[in-house]
Amino acid sequence: MCELASFYLLSFSVYLFQLKKNDAYQLHINKASSTIKIDGELDEQAWQDADVASDFYMILPMDTSYAKVRTDVRMTYDQQNLYLSVVNYNGAPGPYMVESLRRDFSFLKNDNFIMFMDPFDDQTNGFAFGANAAGAQWDGLMYDGGKVDLSWDNKWQSVVKNYPDKWVFEAVIPFKSIRYKKGITKWGINFGRNDLKTTEKSSWAPVPRQFPSASLAYTGTLVWDMPPPDPGTTVSLIPYALGGVIKDYETDKPSTYRKDIGLDAKVAITSSLNLDLTVNPDFSQVDVDKQVTNLDRFELFYPERRQFFLENGDQFTNFGYAGIRPFFSRRIGLGVPIKFGARLSGKLNKDWRLGIMNMQTEKQNSTALPAQNFTVAALQRRVFARSNVGFLLINKESLNYNPSDLAPGTATYSRYNRNFGMEYNLASANNFWTGKAMVLKSFSPGKSGHDWTHAANLQYTSGKWNISWQHEYVGRNYTAEVGYVPRQGYVKMMPQITRLFFPKKGPLLSHGPQITSTNFFDENMHRTDNELLASYGMVFRSRNTLTVWGSGTYIKLLQPFDPVSTKIDTLVAGSEHNWTTVGADYVSKPQSLFTYALNARYGGYYADGRRLTLGGEFGYRFQPYVSIALSANYNKLNLPKPWGYNDFWLVGPRLDVTMTNTLFLTGFVQYNEQMKNMNVNTRFQWRYRPASDLFIVYTDNYLPEPFAVKNRALVIKLVYWLNI
């Protein structure tokens, strides 16, 4: 019954708002009347003739007036490129605030300008380009109507020049670097600015303060004097060469040398449909995952950063929910050689999107793990103003697979695993109503019945209220071998309500309570977990925040569990555990040179134990060239025997040196007491031309006690991006 009710709620709400909210905000773009040099001078005739987008609206601290800080934006184009110029006038005396010259900076910690571009005007997908006041670039793929994936990278150029009363941002974006439909003369567009000295966030087309300035539901319109030029057939070749040496001191084996070359290619089938090809790809990470202390019963999720999977990747990776991902690309290619892969993705027209991917891995002779083939197909149809219906098919096939051939201790895999599903994503024109309804079924040898999953949620977001409902069902035989589904055989229900108050005076910008109830049941609707969380959040006018909270937790273990992950002993399946916890989180104002975030929690734990957690992140910037950061997390557990007292430290100092906006040096240490590991990583990056890099990465892993080297690696990688 709740599934049917959710469906009707989702269907009904799409009719509430159908029209684009800010269609009246229009910027006309005309072909450049002169050549343009990207130097931050803006003295060309083309800029004098271009229309100006000004009179920005304030988003924060209030969204009821024009911005106090002036921003002027101009755009023009020629046959090959799109040009952007922005004059960001001073809002207050004093230096601008930036972290460093590092790419894809934190939006809230930098004075910056960002353009949000929706070339299909579908208010769902697009591109973002921007820079901070020191000239660091910021670019990403937009998806889900307002989220930005900063892992995406492409070829474009920009310059930032500072003046006594303003800073100027000038950029050129090749048409070959973006996707758009040929013949369309209206694009969605908005411009956002963050000015830390005045604590003002603003946008050209007004955006309500409860939404990010990236919200594509509130874009204005970029009106072309004629259809944008057809970029023609674009072929990008991205070869790489990699060399390195790895030494494992624990096994005392001879050093392993790496000598690899490979090639990625991007072929623009149309201006909106792209073919990605890869041969002998290098999917090694040049950025090590941030370690965390895991005191949970389930697997952790780490995001995808590999370039091959990123463009239009939301069709695959965002299908489902945070804990129900039928496709998780990190299951492919980590620790297993990939022979080749191909991916066709993009827009067929304004309403239809397509994504098809196939990848082939090699057989592992050392473990007898067979070669495997992965095929993923996604199709999406836009409905109503901003909603869509999507279909997903996943097939993982093991070739010439004989489980008896596997080496002892090797994880077993089924001969095949398939998933098929569909989902409906709701997004009203004004973004007040959002939601999703999804159903998935898996197919695996020897498994039948209880092999499907369903989930739905509906959320209402206004200026004062945020109310949501979510429920999930995952059958005990549902299997997603290429996905991220850490838990099976459950029903989950999670209502949440938030109320915000906005004082007209005083230090507080907004404050209010939030209540969340998370309830888990087995497939027979017997309670297994529940948590009631009540919190009170405060946002100050200086942008610092404080949240205090308390929770009550009940857990019935469905399988044995080690509460400290030290393999001393396990709690038995079926045992029941209750506790309460209180905590607080504080984040300092971002405009200071010294910034910090603090968190603390104290309360019960499994087996009537006690848990104290203290954490903090501290940063200091010698802007714009040096940024120093330190993250620290301490857990103290008091449990009955055989565990007793346990202390876990997780410490990670980090140094970023940005000599220019093309030369970067990063060094950091991660000490994880729970995992008995200390990792030292140093990475040098030289962006010698747009989207082309030289990386030198040195990594050490140590046993903290006694201090001894576990393994050591040095890798040099050269990437070159060539457009044909």
Side-chain angles (χ1 to χ4, degrees), residues 348-522:
L348 300 177
N349 55 40
K350 187 174 182 178
D351 293 326
W352 287 95
R353 293 179 74 203
L354 174 70
I356 302 174
M357 178 168 61
N358 183 270
M359 302 205 75
Q360 180 75 38
T361 63
E362 292 184 358
K363 179 181 179 180
Q364 286 282 76
N365 292 323
S366 60
T367 61
L369 182 68
Q372 295 181 326
N373 182 267
F374 301 84
T375 301
V376 188
L379 184 66
Q380 192 178 89
R381 174 66 160 86
R382 189 178 80 137
V383 295
F384 308 113
R386 299 177 54 242
S387 305
N388 62 70
V389 177
F391 301 88
L392 185 71
L393 172 66
I394 302 168
N395 181 57
K396 191 218 77 172
E397 196 88 19
S398 296
L399 309 179
N400 302 316
Y401 178 43
N402 185 356
S404 62
D405 293 338
L406 292 175
T410 303
T412 58
Y413 296 87
S414 62
R415 184 171 62 85
Y416 67 84
N417 176 244
R418 299 175 185 127
N419 269 251
F420 177 75
M422 66 175 294
E423 69 177 15
Y424 170 57
N425 291 285
L426 163 72
S428 64
N430 64 358
N431 218 38
F432 276 45
W433 291 92
T434 57
K436 175 183 289 193
M438 174 201 71
V439 62
L440 284 159
K441 187 178 187 334
S442 67
F443 304 86
S444 298
K447 292 184 178 181
S448 62
H450 301 274
D451 55 359
W452 66 286
T453 178
H454 161 78
N457 82 301
L458 182 65
Q459 179 170 292
Y460 172 74
T461 305
S462 70
K464 296 181 179 179
W465 292 96
N466 187 309
I467 304 171
S468 67
W469 166 270
Q470 180 171 324
H471 68 266
E472 304 172 2
Y473 163 73
V474 178
R476 60 179 177 270
N477 288 327
Y478 174 74
T479 306
E481 291 185 12
V482 198
Y484 175 79
V485 185
R487 183 169 182 163
Q488 287 85 29
Y490 74 88
V491 175
K492 175 183 177 182
M493 299 181 184
M494 188 176 76
Q496 183 181 87
I497 183 169
T498 305
R499 174 66 162 93
L500 290 178
F501 302 92
F502 296 91
K504 294 183 178 180
K505 297 181 180 180
L508 284 176
L509 175 63
S510 66
H511 62 93
Q514 181 181 89
I515 298 176
T516 305
S517 178
T518 306
N519 307 276
F520 285 90
F521 306 86
D522 64 20

Side-chain angles (χ1 to χ4, degrees), residues 533-649:
L533 174 66
S535 64
Y536 202 93
M538 290 162 275
V539 179
F540 296 85
R541 295 187 185 275
S542 297
R543 303 263 194 105
N544 47 324
T545 63
L546 173 65
T547 303
V548 294
W549 57 272
S551 67
T553 303
Y554 164 81
I555 291 178
K556 181 179 180 179
L557 291 177
L558 303 180
Q559 57 189 11
F561 172 62
D562 180 358
V564 295
S565 299
T566 56
K567 300 180 180 180
I568 296 176
D569 199 356
T570 58
L571 298 168
V572 299
S575 59
E576 299 182 59
H577 308 267
N578 290 275
W579 66 79
T580 58
T581 309
V582 295
D585 303 278
Y586 179 78
V587 180
S588 68
K589 58 184 182 180
Q591 58 267 41
S592 299
L593 293 177
F594 174 67
T595 58
Y596 57 94
L598 305 173
N599 63 81
R601 60 174 288 170
Y602 178 75
Y605 196 53
Y606 292 94
D608 295 322
R610 309 299 292 174
R611 175 184 175 184
L612 170 67
T613 299
L614 301 174
E617 294 186 3
F618 309 89
Y620 191 85
R621 51 194 177 195
F622 301 89
Q623 58 180 29
Y625 302 110
V626 179
S627 176
I628 302 172
L630 172 67
S631 62
N633 183 270
Y634 171 74
N635 279 276
K636 182 177 182 179
L637 305 178
N638 182 5
L639 292 165
K641 293 182 178 180
W643 299 282
Y645 287 93
N646 289 268
D647 296 78
F648 296 125
W649 276 99

Side-chain angles (χ1 to χ4, degrees), residues 76 148 151 194 254 264 326 406 419 430 513 520 585 610 655 671:
T76 187
V148 183
S151 300
N194 192 40
D264 288 336
L406 292 175
N419 269 251
N430 64 358
F520 285 90
D585 303 278
R610 309 299 292 174
L655 173 68
Y671 168 63

Side-chain angles (χ1 to χ4, degrees), residues 20 53 66 101 107 160 165 185 206 212 352 382 392 463 514 555 564 632 643 659 677 693-694 720:
K20 183 175 176 179
Y66 284 105
L101 295 168
F107 176 85
V160 165
D165 62 334
T185 57
W352 287 95
R382 189 178 80 137
L392 185 71
Q514 181 181 89
I555 291 178
V564 295
W643 299 282
M659 292 158 274
N677 185 70
D693 297 281
L694 170 68
Y720 183 79

